Amino acid sequence: MRFRSIRAIDAAAALDLPGVRAVITAADIGADIPAISVRAEAQGTLDHVLQPVIAREKVRYVGEPLALVVADSAALAEDAANLVVADIDALPAVTGRNGLAPDAALLFEQGAGNQATTLRAVRGDIEAAFKRADYTRRETFSVHRHTAIPMETRGLVAEWDAARQHMTVSGAAKVPFTVRAELAKMQIGRAHV
């Protein structure tokens, strides 16, 4: 993984396209950028590593959103997004186990390191099971970070129907009702999720 420090985002060329209504960055939103909650298991211990919905100050992974384009059509929004220019400084890459080293670049400064949490699960009497086993083996298993990969982005498409005062939000997610609840928390005004 390669972190990049965001120096500036230039949306002028995108905003010059007819039909582009806005280009929104973290600077436009301000300090109250919502974080993406943990969808599968609510773990209070993970609050310090929740990912913002749009990058502020640094880019943590390839494909992390830097800007949101609002346009009259999806095709126009895509064209405009290609015109947004980000000026970013490369920060040290963090890959595999070296990301746990004390001197590794941090994903989130609030944490004490890049290890978000440790999950432990116990079912039954493990000590008794090992004593009865004909064969035992000790292994260490590591699972790489797996989130927001390009095959399944965190992108959404929102369509506002002014006549009905209704917004339809479409996106790729394996937990649609959890996403719906999160969007409802972010609801502004009288828009319906």
Side-chain angles (χ1 to χ4, degrees), residues 68-87:
L68 168 79
V69 176
V70 180
D72 290 346
S73 72
L76 180 56
E78 186 176 344
D79 289 346
N82 286 327
L83 296 175
V84 175
V85 177
D87 182 6

Side-chain angles (χ1 to χ4, degrees), residues 143-149 152 154 174:
V143 179
H144 65 286
R145 179 178 182 270
H146 182 82
T147 183
I149 57 177
E152 183 183 337
R154 295 193 187 272
K174 295 182 286 275

Side-chain angles (χ1 to χ4, degrees), residues 104-130:
L106 294 177
L107 274 167
F108 297 92
E109 283 70 24
Q110 311 85 299
N114 285 327
Q115 182 168 331
T117 191
T118 299
L119 298 176
R120 289 187 184 358
V122 176
R123 300 239 190 254
D125 186 348
I126 191 73
E127 296 300 326
F130 276 119

Side-chain angles (χ1 to χ4, degrees), residues 1-3 52 56 58-62 64 107-108:
M1 182 176 319
R2 190 160 190 91
F3 305 125
R56 174 188 287 288
K58 76 166 69 167
V59 179
R60 292 174 178 86
Y61 60 89
V62 172
E64 183 171 14
L107 274 167
F108 297 92

Side-chain angles (χ1 to χ4, degrees), residues 41-55:
E41 284 183 52
Q43 302 249 349
T45 59
L46 296 177
D47 288 349
H48 67 286
V49 294
L50 293 181
Q51 159 189 342
V53 296
I54 192 165

